[in-house]
Amino acid sequence: MKKLTVGLLLPVSTIIPMGKDFEQGLKQAINDQVDQHEWEIELIPEFIGQGSRSRVEESIDKLFSYHQADVVTGIVSNAVGMALAPKFERYKKPFIMNNIGEHIPNPESFNPYVFINSIHTWQQIWSLGHWAVKTFGNKGMFVASVYDAGYSFTNMLTLGMEAADKDSTMPFSIAQITPGAKTADPRTVFEHIEMFKPDFVFSAFCGEEATAFQEAYAGSAVKNIPLLALPFLLQNFDAKDHELEIYTALSSAELIPTVESAALQDQTFYQLGKETGMILAEALEIKGIGDLLEALNQVKVNSDRGTLHIDAQTPGKNNQVYLVKNTHLGNRDNIKREIVRKLEKVDINDKALSDSLQQISSGWENPYLGI
């Protein structure tokens, strides 16, 4: 019997069980698709906390030096993945990195040993910003907590808006944290929304802050301003008989998505784990007694999102981005979803995007929701 040792990098989240969901999805796909009589799959979990570079690097060294892992996968941000890519080239072992795409992946920072499985949120936000300017007007507004503002969301929203209208403007408001509180108070952004009177608002709140923001938005004086968001805003909240419409986006490779596929983003990390298991299963079938890296370059896995494209040199290639209208009645189980249309999208080699990658920037290393 042949053996494959897989190292798992699993972050901790106080919002959703992202690491646990990923591991369960991975195990499910392996159990379903790997021939258990031919292959013994050993999974070695390494818990990386909030996913900082130092924590991830320590875990990678342990997985390769002590556990002799053949391949490493898990949830790691593009920022950390880019910083640690040379390590996989030195070990000459493949890395299948999973994330939602909270940081823009720079192909120049990767090498042939790194693969990316992602929903590419950076691409979705560009599309939302571009569509919103064309639809509502060229003055958008970004609202978030300090934590959520530390990613590439504002940059991608700006780039999408400016591609639609070079005179676009994007004021922003960061929710204040009151002394002694564990979370920010999203209600503090509303005075700025009323002050700037934007044509639309983009929200990056999640978890408890998302709930508080939605409750306040549904009953506020600005509730008629169109609201755009990441799908992680769609939390339980008390709408108090107010209907709230929220526009999100969905990436799908080659396939026209359905309302059911839009709901998949409620299970993002389970889905990413399942897809990684499918990738490994197909790679083992291709590999035989050959090289795993070569096999990974040949996989063409068909998932619920379409044919997966994991080449780190062309992230987001073949993706289509669709606009999703979510009608929220205050109960997460009763959200009405509608696929409205396909949106214009940006490619990783877009000049404005490439230029932005050369600029000095700062932000969190950990994956979104990894707090």
Side-chain angles (χ1 to χ4, degrees), residues 75-91:
I75 304 169
V76 175
S77 74
N78 286 327
V80 170
M82 289 186 286
L84 298 180
K87 185 172 289 289
F88 292 93
E89 192 166 30
R90 288 198 298 272
Y91 280 112

Side-chain angles (χ1 to χ4, degrees), residues 11-19 49 368-371:
V12 175
S13 170
T14 58
I15 300 172
I16 59 174
M18 57 196 300
Y368 184 64
L369 303 177
I371 56 175

Side-chain angles (χ1 to χ4, degrees), residues 319-332:
N319 268 2
Q320 301 300 324
V321 180
Y322 295 85
L323 179 68
V324 182
K325 180 180 177 181
N326 306 271
T327 303
H328 208 322
L329 301 176
N331 185 335
R332 183 174 181 174

Side-chain angles (χ1 to χ4, degrees), residues 177-334:
I177 300 178
T178 56
K182 294 183 179 179
T183 59
D185 184 358
R187 293 172 297 183
T188 59
V189 306
F190 283 88
E191 64 175 304
H192 298 112
I193 296 176
E194 293 180 21
M195 179 190 306
F196 288 112
K197 295 180 174 57
D199 296 314
F200 61 91
V201 172
F202 183 95
S203 169
F205 290 112
C206 62
E208 294 178 13
E209 293 173 350
T211 299
F213 176 77
Q214 288 174 112
E215 288 180 358
Y217 205 96
S220 73
V222 301
K223 64 183 178 182
N224 291 324
I225 297 177
L227 178 60
L228 286 59
L230 299 177
F232 303 100
L233 180 71
L234 305 179
Q235 304 290 326
N236 288 311
F237 76 104
D238 183 0
K240 296 181 174 63
D241 298 323
H242 295 289
E243 186 175 284
L244 184 60
E245 292 181 354
I246 304 171
Y247 293 96
T248 60
L250 169 70
S251 294
S252 181
E254 301 168 0
L255 300 178
I256 297 176
T258 63
V259 172
E260 287 73 22
S261 66
L264 282 174
Q265 295 208 23
D266 290 344
Q267 300 178 321
T268 297
F269 296 101
Y270 176 88
Q271 183 70 15
L272 290 173
K274 180 181 176 182
E275 290 169 353
T276 299
M278 295 166 67
I279 291 167
L280 287 172
E282 184 166 318
L284 293 181
E285 189 174 338
I286 295 170
K287 173 184 178 300
I289 59 173
D291 183 71
L292 180 61
L293 181 65
E294 291 181 7
L296 285 170
N297 279 301
Q298 299 177 49
V299 296
K300 295 186 182 299
V301 168
N302 288 310
S303 75
D304 294 317
R305 293 192 288 127
T307 303
L308 299 179
H309 180 82
I310 59 174
D311 185 353
Q313 295 304 306
T314 53
K317 182 180 179 181
N318 297 330
N319 268 2
Q320 301 300 324
V321 180
Y322 295 85
L323 179 68
V324 182
K325 180 180 177 181
N326 306 271
T327 303
H328 208 322
L329 301 176
N331 185 335
R332 183 174 181 174
D333 296 328
N334 292 322

